[in-house]
Amino acid sequence: MGSPSSTAAYLMHISEWDDVAEEYLRDALRDGSGHGCGGVPSAWPSSIFELSWAITALAESSIPISDEECSTIGRFLGTMLQLRNGTVGFAPGSLVDADDTAKSKNTLSDGDRKGHTDTDDNGNDRSLELGQMRSVLGRYTGHILQHASVTSSPRDMQVRLARELETFLLAHIDHAEDNYRFTNQEKKNSSGLPTYYADTTCISHNGIHDGKGDVNWVDNCAGSRQTTARTSYLKQYQNPARTFYNWVRSTSADHTSCPFSFAFFHCLLSATHGDVTGRGAKIAYLVEDACRHLASLCRMYNDHGSLARDVDELNLNSLNFPEFHNIVRGRDEGEEEAKAQLMSIAEYERCSLEVALDELDSELVRSDGQKGIKWMGAIRLFVKVTDLYGQIYVVKDIATKRQR
C-alpha cells in the first residue's frame, strides 16, 4: 500500500472485504495531514521521504539544524536502514527504492559531519568547503544541462552530453589520484630534498625550470642553502598500471574538457544544423573518433608547454610516463629528445584527425548535401579554435599557476 486513493479504489472493486486495507484508510484519515477532516495525502505515510529529502536540502543550503534534531532524525533513519539491510523506501514497510536509500544515507553522513567537525591542519571546517563545492558544481552542471539549447535538442544528444559531462568531472578525480601516486613515489633523502634521476642537463630551481647549468642552489627543509649536482628534470612515473597510449586517450583526454565541450557544441548546433550524428553508425563513429584525436592532440600540446609548471606543482605530465624514459641515460639532450618524441606523436594524432574529418566530410556531403556542408563547417571551426588553444600552450604556458 502507501496510496490512500489506490487503496480506496481497491476496496471499491474487490469481491471480499479487506480489513487491513480498511484500517490503513482509517489511519490515513486520522493521522494524515487532514487529521480527521476527510482530507488525505496522495501518499501516506512518507516519514522517511520527508525527513531525508528535507534534511539533505537544508544541509546543501548550509541551513543549520539543532543537535537534538540531528540526533533524533539520525537514530530513526539509522534504525530503518538497519532493519532493511541498508535499504529503505519512502516509509517504514514500503518497497525499497534507490532515491530514498541514497537520501537517507546522505542525511546520516551530513549528521556525522555536524557532530564530528572535519578540520584541516589550520582548523578550518572542511564540511563548509564540501558544501561550497556541491553548490558550485550544482550550479555548473545545472547551467549546462538546463541550457535552453540543450533541453530543446533531441533526447539522445542530452543523454550523450550528460554522460560526457560526468566523465569530464570524474576525470579530474582520476587525474588527481594519478598526481598523488606520482608525487608519493618519490623518496626523500636525509636533507629533505627529492631524489631525482641523473639523466638530463635541465634542472629545477625551487621547482621552476631554468634549463641551464650543472649546479644550482636549492633551499632545504632546515632553511639553509646547498648546491645540487646535475639533476633530472624528467621524473619517471613508476608502475602507472596503464600505458601512455591508454592514459592520454582516456583520463587525460577527458580532463581537457574537449569531448564534453564537443557534445555541448552539438546541442548548440542542433536548432540550426540538426543532429547529423544520428544519421548512421559510420557518421557517429567518425564524429567521436575525430573528437578523441583532437582531445589527445590538445593534451600533448598542453603537456609539452606546461612541463615546468607541472614539475613545480607536482602534476603528472605525459613526459613522466616510462615510454619517454627509454632514451639513453646520461645524454644531455634527453629532455629535448623526449619532448620531440611527444610532439611527433602529437603530429600523428593531427594526421589522424585530418583523415577522420575528411572522411566525415565526404559522408556528410553524400548523405545530407548542403546541410552536411554547413554542419561540417561548424565542426571544423570548433576544431580550429580548440587546436589554436593547444598550439598557444606550445609557445607559452598560459594556465593559472596554482596557489599554495
Side-chain angles (χ1 to χ4, degrees):
M1 291 182 284
S3 169
S5 60
S6 296
T7 305
Y10 161 74
L11 285 173
M12 290 167 63
H13 294 90
I14 59 173
S15 58
E16 184 176 349
W17 194 252
D18 189 332
D19 292 330
V20 175
E22 179 187 2
E23 185 61 27
Y24 166 76
L25 282 180
R26 291 187 182 280
D27 289 342
L29 283 165
R30 181 181 62 251
D31 300 324
S33 56
H35 298 295
C37 70
V40 292
S42 60
W44 190 86
S46 55
S47 52
I48 294 177
F49 167 82
E50 292 177 11
L51 285 173
S52 60
W53 287 73
I55 295 302
T56 52
L58 292 172
E60 289 171 359
S61 301
S62 300
I63 298 176
I65 305 167
S66 70
D67 292 338
E68 183 178 356
E69 290 173 324
C70 274
S71 178
T72 302
I73 294 169
R75 284 197 301 271
F76 170 73
L77 292 177
T79 300
M80 293 299 102
L81 285 165
Q82 186 176 15
L83 290 174
R84 303 293 291 273
N85 296 318
T87 59
V88 293
F90 65 86
S94 64
L95 292 175
V96 300
D97 63 85
D99 288 347
D100 291 306
T101 297
K103 286 293 184 181
S104 295
K105 291 183 176 181
N106 282 343
T107 300
L108 292 177
S109 177
D110 289 333
D112 287 342
R113 284 196 295 270
K114 188 179 189 304
H116 305 87
T117 303
D118 182 16
T119 60
D120 59 21
D121 295 337
N122 297 319
N124 299 315
D125 188 352
R126 284 199 180 106
S127 63
L128 296 177
E129 296 178 2
L130 290 173
Q132 292 171 348
M133 284 189 283
R134 285 197 192 98
S135 178
V136 171
L137 287 174
R139 291 197 303 271
Y140 176 72
T141 57
H143 173 76
I144 297 297
L145 299 179
Q146 298 302 317
H147 191 282
S149 295
V150 173
T151 56
S152 62
S153 62
R155 179 63 181 169
D156 64 324
M157 292 182 67
Q158 297 183 47
V159 172
R160 190 160 64 244
L161 172 62
R163 183 172 61 245
E164 291 292 356
L165 176 57
E166 179 184 24
T167 302
F168 164 62
L169 294 174
L170 291 177
H172 284 73
I173 298 175
D174 292 338
H175 204 162
E177 291 177 347
D178 280 328
N179 290 342
Y180 178 82
R181 286 192 293 269
F182 173 63
T183 301
N184 285 274
Q185 75 182 9
E186 289 183 348
K187 295 181 179 180
K188 303 272 185 181
N189 59 29
S190 59
S191 67
L193 294 172
T195 300
Y196 297 94
Y197 299 104
D199 59 354
T200 74
T201 186
C202 298
I203 59 180
S204 171
H205 175 65
N206 289 339
I208 301 175
H209 186 211
D210 59 17
K212 61 184 179 182
D214 290 347
V215 178
N216 201 2
W217 288 100
V218 179
D219 296 323
N220 62 22
C221 295
S224 61
R225 308 194 81 201
Q226 66 180 64
T227 59
T228 60
R230 177 179 295 179
T231 55
S232 171
Y233 188 52
L234 289 178
K235 296 183 289 294
Q236 181 175 334
Y237 186 20
Q238 301 173 20
N239 303 316
R242 49 184 167 166
T243 63
F244 168 66
Y245 174 88
N246 178 276
W247 179 79
V248 81
R249 281 179 166 266
S250 56
T251 298
S252 191
D254 293 322
H255 184 270
T256 66
S257 84
C258 180
F260 144 63
S261 300
F262 204 49
F264 183 53
F265 187 63
H266 287 180
C267 292
L268 298 180
L269 288 178
S270 63
T272 55
H273 294 65
D275 179 20
V276 297
T277 59
R279 301 299 176 86
K282 185 175 181 180
I283 290 178
Y285 186 92
L286 289 171
V287 167
E288 193 166 348
D289 184 52
C291 178
R292 191 55 50 174
H293 287 305
L294 178 62
S296 301
L297 171 64
C298 289
R299 168 51 62 190
M300 294 180 202
Y301 274 6
N302 183 298
D303 283 2
H304 183 280
S306 66
L307 181 58
R309 174 171 52 83
D310 287 339
V311 169
D312 193 39
E313 297 180 356
L314 302 178
N315 295 326
L316 178 64
N317 187 289
S318 294
L319 292 164
N320 297 124
F321 274 79
E323 289 87 336
F324 295 96
H325 289 259
N326 293 327
I327 302 167
V328 179
R329 292 186 180 276
R331 292 173 59 181
D332 289 346
E333 65 273 17
E335 179 189 326
E336 290 306 316
E337 184 171 340
K339 294 176 76 172
Q341 286 193 14
L342 180 63
M343 286 299 292
S344 179
I345 298 172
E347 290 310 309
Y348 168 81
E349 289 292 342
R350 177 181 297 284
C351 292
S352 300
L353 170 62
E354 291 300 329
V355 169
L357 290 174
D358 289 344
E359 185 68 17
L360 178 60
D361 199 339
S362 299
E363 287 292 321
L364 288 175
V365 171
R366 182 164 50 249
S367 63
D368 288 284
Q370 288 299 318
K371 188 175 181 180
I373 293 175
K374 181 182 179 182
W375 194 87
M376 196 64 210
I379 292 301
R380 286 193 181 275
L381 174 63
F382 178 92
V383 170
K384 288 180 180 179
V385 171
T386 306
D387 183 31
L388 176 61
Y389 192 74
Q391 291 189 47
I392 291 174
Y393 263 99
V394 176
V395 178
K396 182 179 180 180
D397 182 7
I398 59 176
T400 302
K401 191 174 185 298
R402 187 176 64 193
Q403 300 297 317
R404 293 184 178 180

